Amino acid sequence: MYGIGVDMSETELVKSENSLEDAQELVRKSMYASMAAGLVPVPIFDFVAVTGIQIEMIRRLSHIYGIKFMEEKGKKALGALIGGSFPSSVAPIFAGLTKMVPVIGTTVGALSLPLVAGASTYAVGKVFIQHFESGGTFLTFDPEQVREYYSEQYKEGKSAASSAKKATT
């Protein structure tokens, strides 16, 4: 795996021998990081932090699969994927904004956003793993083709995030 702050722009793009295992481990760690970001009691910051974690995860996944990361294409793909899944895409924003309501809002946001953020990150990671495993690149990514798979993985991600949350409490 790669450490935080490692500049991978100068490294050779070669598919990892254990790409699937490395990718799944990266998604798991990114899910945890997103859940932690969801705990931050500052509205909007949590949403921005989770988005940053997801972009970084996509960048690292592309490197694991030997695919040149295209930041603008990655951001557009992420936005189209999450934005097209309307109910799950507004959930992080809503959960983050609930933190603005004194006491009750902070409690509701603190309970719901980590699960939503973790599930969303998990689903995004699984979608990109599937895409890269099938030989796809940023140029061939079509969010419409993976929308149903994203929804399935979001549900699976909620379960995984819930289990992770229970294990830490």
Side-chain angles (χ1 to χ4, degrees), residues 140-151:
T140 61
F141 185 78
D142 182 359
E144 291 301 318
Q145 289 183 342
V146 295
R147 188 129 4 256
E148 187 176 324
Y149 185 66
Y150 174 84
S151 294

Side-chain angles (χ1 to χ4, degrees), residues 12-146:
E12 187 177 331
L13 292 175
V14 178
K15 186 174 178 178
S16 164
E17 287 183 32
N18 301 319
S19 55
L20 183 57
E21 294 84 13
D22 291 346
Q24 289 174 340
E25 179 68 11
L26 174 60
V27 169
R28 187 181 64 78
K29 288 180 179 180
S30 298
M31 178 186 74
Y32 292 149
S34 291
M35 291 175 70
L39 290 171
V40 175
V42 180
I44 307 301
F45 170 81
D46 44 20
F47 177 73
V48 172
V50 170
T51 301
I53 291 165
Q54 291 176 346
I55 291 291
E56 177 64 12
M57 176 183 66
I58 293 169
R59 182 180 73 80
R60 288 176 181 231
L61 284 171
S62 71
H63 192 77
I64 288 170
Y65 284 96
I67 296 167
K68 182 178 181 345
F69 179 66
M70 303 171 82
E71 186 169 357
E72 284 306 309
K73 295 274 187 199
K75 287 179 180 179
K76 287 180 182 178
L78 178 63
L81 179 62
I82 293 177
S85 303
F86 186 72
S88 59
S89 67
V90 296
I93 296 168
F94 176 73
L97 291 176
T98 61
K99 291 180 183 179
M100 291 183 176
V101 178
V103 184
I104 295 172
T106 304
T107 303
V108 170
L111 294 175
S112 62
L113 190 59
L115 292 177
V116 170
S120 174
T121 300
Y122 180 92
V124 166
K126 291 295 189 166
V127 164
F128 276 92
I129 287 173
Q130 180 193 52
H131 182 65
F132 293 151
E133 279 283 327
S134 68
T137 68
F138 288 102
L139 297 175
T140 61
F141 185 78
D142 182 359
E144 291 301 318
Q145 289 183 342
V146 295

